[in-house]
Amino acid sequence: MKIKVGFGFDVHQLKEGHPFVLGGVLLDHHKGAFGHSDADVLAHAICDALLGAANLRDIGHHFKNTDERWKGISSLILLTECVKMISEKGYAINNVDAMLCLEAPKINPHVPKMKLQISRAMGIDVDDISIKATTNETMGFIGREEGVVAYAVCLIQK
């Protein structure tokens, strides 16, 4: 058996009047993430973790932000595509551990629904997905609510 670990990171600006999608869940907030797709930093970080573990480069290589096919697309679709790519190389997902960093809104109430959405997109059990959140203690661009960051690690096996 071959076991590999992957790490993913993503960041997006927060802008007034934009929808805020995290983990496939639309959050009620006055600001939202800005990007080419739905700007779901959590899904993007998980995509990069999976792709990295399978040595398949990164999300930007496969889903370019200049390609109109990906404009406004749900990042859960991109996540499903990444799972297909690693499956084609013979890998299965053991687990994903993710961390969100933002000041607001509070994430804890949304974690169960995020885990459900991500588990459906990835075809894995909800218990194999961990999502945590923290603030930046009001420091920097995160503290000023100018951006949101997500980190993810995954374990895959062949």
Side-chain angles (χ1 to χ4, degrees):
M1 175 183 355
K2 186 173 220 169
I3 297 173
K4 290 188 163 196
V5 174
F7 171 75
F9 165 84
D10 196 36
V11 61
H12 279 277
Q13 287 182 12
L14 292 176
K15 293 189 175 186
E16 292 284 343
H18 281 273
F20 199 1
V21 178
L22 283 177
V25 176
L26 181 60
L27 304 179
D28 184 22
H29 195 58
H30 65 98
K31 287 185 175 182
F34 177 75
H36 186 69
S37 66
D38 64 2
D40 185 337
V41 294
L42 179 57
H44 293 179
I46 295 170
C47 285
D48 267 344
L50 293 170
L51 293 169
N55 196 21
L56 289 169
R57 301 193 57 176
D58 60 46
I59 190 172
H61 175 77
H62 295 281
F63 310 106
K64 294 178 179 16
N65 65 4
T66 55
D67 189 333
E68 286 301 309
R69 288 181 298 168
W70 315 124
K71 180 83 173 156
I73 196 167
S74 167
S75 295
L76 294 179
I77 293 171
L78 305 181
L79 183 55
T80 298
E81 289 301 311
C82 291
V83 171
K84 286 180 189 172
M85 285 183 238
I86 71 162
S87 294
E88 288 169 1
K89 283 191 80 171
Y91 289 102
I93 301 161
N94 276 16
N95 73 303
V96 171
D97 184 22
M99 173 68 78
L100 290 162
C101 189
L102 69 166
E103 293 299 317
K106 294 295 181 194
I107 299 305
N108 234 12
H110 306 286
V111 167
K113 191 169 181 184
M114 289 178 186
K115 288 175 61 171
L116 183 60
Q117 293 287 79
I118 291 169
S119 73
R120 286 178 177 161
M122 295 178 71
I124 64 173
D125 194 273
V126 158
D127 286 336
D128 293 330
I129 300 165
S130 171
I131 300 171
K132 304 172 301 294
T134 190
T135 69
N136 214 43
E137 300 294 332
T138 70
M139 296 181 293
F141 74 90
I142 295 168
R144 292 187 301 271
E145 293 189 48
E146 296 170 4
V148 57
V149 171
Y151 305 92
V153 292
C154 71
L155 185 70
I156 63 174
Q157 70 179 7
K158 189 183 269 189

